[in-house]
Amino acid sequence: MRNDGWEWHLKDDEYIVLGDNRDFANDSRYLGIINKDDIISVVDLEM
């Protein structure tokens, strides 16, 4: 994944998370890569 000069190489059990409030979100730009074992829930939203 490439964003503003960043290039991330993810393994099969790694994820990135992105917030919708770019200026204030603590997402993977701040936290880094998230391991699958660290994910405790999934949000599924249908509109």
Side-chain angles (χ1 to χ4, degrees), residues 3 6-9 13 15 17 19-20 23-24 26 28-32 37-38 41 45:
N3 180 12
W6 295 15
E7 185 173 338
W8 300 11
H9 299 273
D13 62 346
Y15 296 85
V17 292
D20 64 349
D23 293 333
F24 299 102
N26 285 335
S28 286
R29 292 170 292 178
Y30 174 76
L31 300 169
D37 294 335
D38 295 327
S41 67
L45 175 66

